[in-house]
């Protein structure tokens, strides 16, 4: 029997050490995750930091991945990539980071475990998640039925700039 595949959405963020290159290289690394295929990638966006303002602006993007991994297996793969890019976990929760890879959605699954909260707990308040998500998947609905078009139109773009 083949493992059923799931459509997952991953948020990418960086504000250190040439963040555009970090995000582009992270996309390449995600393309190499086993049992997974990148379906689409949003534009890159320049966004103001959420949280402490004494840090550089971020580069953010969202991509769509078809995967036959479980959510935890995908999390392991993403954390391996973060570590390869020199990310130090738990150092400064709201501070600057080389690379942040978050599972935003994993099919219609709702997960509340110690390691994983899906849908991502902050997604509905984050323009740098909602706007790229609506760009690549305008018909998307959250597991609770909320439409991405509704959420992304409601949020302030907060002077976010679309780069490419
Ligand atoms: N702010 C922006 N604009 N983009 C991010 O990816 C991001 N990530 C974070 C915090 C520190 C919350 N702020 C952010 O983890």
């Amino acid at each position: 029997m083949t493992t059923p595949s799931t459509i997952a959405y991953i948020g990418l963020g960086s504000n250190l050490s040439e963040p555009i290159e970090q995000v582009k290289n992270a996309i390449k690394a995600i393309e190499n995750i086993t049992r997974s295929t990148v379906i689409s990638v949003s534009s890159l966006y320049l966004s103001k930091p959420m949280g402490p303002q004494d840090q550089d602006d971020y580069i953010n993007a969202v991509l769509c991945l078809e995967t036959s991994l479980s959510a935890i297996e995908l999390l392991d793969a993403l954390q391996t990539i973060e570590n390869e890019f020199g990310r130090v976990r738990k150092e400064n929760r709201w501070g600057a980071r080389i690379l942040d890879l978050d599972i935003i959605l994993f099919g219609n699954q709702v997960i509340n475990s110690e390691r994983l909260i899906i849908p991502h707990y902050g997604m509905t308040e984050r323009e740098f998640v909602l706007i790229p998500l609506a760009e690549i998947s305008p018909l998307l609905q959250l597991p609770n039925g909320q439409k991405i078009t509704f959420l992304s139109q409601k949020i302030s773009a907060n002077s976010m700039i679309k780069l490419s």
Side-chain angles (χ1 to χ4, degrees), residues 48-56:
K48 297 279 165 216
M50 177 185 185
Q53 296 297 300
D54 61 341
Q55 54 180 324
D56 288 345

Side-chain angles (χ1 to χ4, degrees), residues 13 47-50 55 58 60 93-95 97 100 126 128:
S47 68
K48 297 279 165 216
M50 177 185 185
Q55 54 180 324
Y58 278 77
N60 284 109
R93 186 152 181 263
W94 290 89
R97 60 257 337 270
D100 203 7
R126 296 183 176 193
F128 54 86

